[in-house]
Amino acid sequence: MVGSVLRVRYELTRLISEGPIFAAYEARDRLEGKPVCVRLIRQPYAGEQAFIQKLREIVQRYGAAEHPGVEAMLEVDEDDTTPFLISELTPGVPLSERIRKLAPFSVPVAVSTAISLCEDLEAIHGLGLAHGDVSAQNVASLPDGQVRLQLPGLWQVYAESPVAAGVMLPSMSPYLAPEISAGGLPSPASDVYSAGVLLYELLSGRLPYNADTPVSMALKHATGSVPSVRMFNPSVPAVLDEIVKKAMSKEPATRYASGGALLSDLRILQDALRFGRTVTWPIRPESTPPQVNPMPKTTAPRNETVRPKQARAKPEREPRDVPLFLWIPIAIFGTAAATLVGIWLFFNLAKPSLVKVPSLAGLTLSEAREMVKPSKLDIQIEGQKASEKVPTDHIISSDPAAGEQVREGSHIRVVLSLGSQLAQVPDLTGNTLDQARSILQTAHLDLDEGNVVMKPSDKVDAGLVIGQDPPVGRKVDQTTKVKVTVSSGPDGSDTTQSGSGTTGPTNLYTMRVKLAGLTRPVTLRIDIVDDRGTRTVYEQEHEPEQTVELATRGTGKQVTFRIYYDNELVKEVTQRSEEGTPVKPDAGGDGTDGGTDGGTGGGTDGGDNGDNQQ
């Protein structure tokens, strides 16, 4: 699809991602001269009218959330039978990609990311709407460190399809609030739950719950206790751990009510981290510094004497086997080693197992996914490119590459082959133009419609191909157009029996037609009327402003050329010659008239060259 132009406006330039419902492409809006995101809707959803109609409604409803942190969905359009969603282009990568590569994040970075996410949610919640599908895949990490929400409200669209909701459930279930899995509708509070799961993931590098199926995942969200993120990242402050637990509270009533409420606590914590202040739970607007009581003065009661305390006798030190100057580095080294071992055990035992990436090159997507199932790896399409060696839709390369070690559950990005972009030029000689066109299309090539050359031939009948460029057998790019030379018949005078039984000289004429003043492609047809009757000598589709040169024979003292655009007569050109005398007939064309009422008007420029072939 890369290189295709939808609605004569959106030129697809790069595949961004492929999902079960959408295939997202970066595209250039030719009308406004800016990049956009075009999401093609896959079958069977593209043919479901209720799905498409609901998508149009959601685009209009959520268009009011004008915020830099919410991807603007612009409109739903259709090209032939392919509907697509146009959105503003979001730079950066999915947050899931950054989590896979970099998590766990430091506390300041995780808090800053969560603040950006809550600011985005606040723009949607302020309209009384819910995003409904907040997940690491639907949040884009921007180059400036901020994040942007994508595809808000589409949960309502999925509900209109008999199968879309079930297809999307596996990717949504790790972030769904318990009340949603129980049949409730998304709300700002359920979005907060999803944001809490994301914050947990940023801080720990893992999801709070793991399960094999969406049903068991929903059960864990509904019944399992909220795990402490400090179990996997002890550097997380206790206050931040409590914020995550409140955001992921099972009951919506005890959760943060909206993204704005969660945002308030996160900002207070961020300020405290920035300036080294201490905050306690529940968070207060300002932490009160601890009061230090002065040491009370010791006064002696009346008639009593204050006796100084006697110093304890220090025990005698035993002689050391190792000198003190050696004990200090030994103690420091031992402490550091124990710390490093503890850190290594903590981070490695808590993470999923390491697995090797298998060799996926040359496999189809389904074969590759079947191969990585035992390793619990996920395959994502990174892009497509041409290959002379790898068949179409087979994998060219993977990242990470084969043999590298990754964690279970990691994403493997693959590049698919578009197949060979070269084609072998077939033999077109002896075929008509229509036959040559069909042969070229079979070979994934096109005929150079604007450069058909007519040439006399004593051996090949008129209308058949006698030459071509590039030559037969050459391998060329599939965008190459093949230029052909077509026979106009014998280059000599003969005596031809006409339909009326009379004979006359045969003359060679050259007709030049310029398709001027047109606004769209038309089929140009040229008929000749001579002593032999009326016959078509040329018929081909052309773009506006192209020039066609035709050499053909005419029998008798006078011939007339009739020029048609889309079977509508636009001009007649009569040419005469005196029998036995080579004369250049009057072309009669000035390139200005020939307009039609149907709006396909244009000019013809009838060149002349009628050499008498005695």
Side-chain angles (χ1 to χ4, degrees), residues 5 46 141 143 148 155 184 205 244 265 276-277 292 304 310 337 349 352 360 391 508 541 551 560 574 579 591 599:
V5 179
S141 179
R148 175 180 288 175
W155 59 273
V244 174
D265 273 8
R277 293 199 300 263
V292 179
E304 290 186 10
Q310 293 183 351
L349 293 179
L360 305 177
L508 180 65
E541 184 178 286
T560 299
T574 300
E579 184 176 359

Side-chain angles (χ1 to χ4, degrees), residues 325-370:
F325 72 90
L326 289 180
W327 269 110
I328 294 176
I330 289 173
I332 294 174
F333 177 79
T335 303
T339 302
L340 290 174
V341 169
I343 293 174
W344 186 90
L345 288 173
F346 173 80
F347 283 104
N348 284 273
L349 293 179
K351 287 185 177 180
S353 303
L354 286 172
V355 294
K356 274 190 177 182
V357 178
S359 177
L360 305 177
L363 301 179
T364 64
L365 203 56
S366 58
E367 290 172 342
R369 284 176 172 155
E370 194 66 31

Side-chain angles (χ1 to χ4, degrees), residues 401-469:
E404 292 190 28
Q405 287 193 330
V406 296
R407 298 285 178 184
E408 286 184 348
S410 297
H411 298 297
I412 308 298
R413 298 174 304 283
V414 297
V415 176
L416 293 182
S417 171
L418 291 171
S420 174
Q421 297 300 290
L422 297 181
Q424 190 168 13
V425 179
D427 187 1
L428 305 177
T429 54
N431 293 284
T432 65
L433 281 177
D434 286 339
Q435 291 170 335
R437 190 180 303 109
S438 297
I439 293 171
L440 288 172
Q441 287 175 352
T442 304
H444 304 291
L445 295 170
D446 291 318
L447 183 67
D448 192 346
E449 308 282 4
N451 286 297
V452 176
V453 177
M454 306 298 295
K455 185 177 179 181
S457 173
D458 294 327
K459 298 179 180 180
V460 181
D461 292 340
L464 301 182
V465 176
I466 57 176
Q468 63 186 74
D469 181 31

Side-chain angles (χ1 to χ4, degrees), residues 114-127:
I115 285 175
S116 178
L117 175 62
C118 289
E119 290 172 342
D120 303 344
L121 285 173
E122 192 176 25
I124 297 175
H125 296 167
L127 299 174

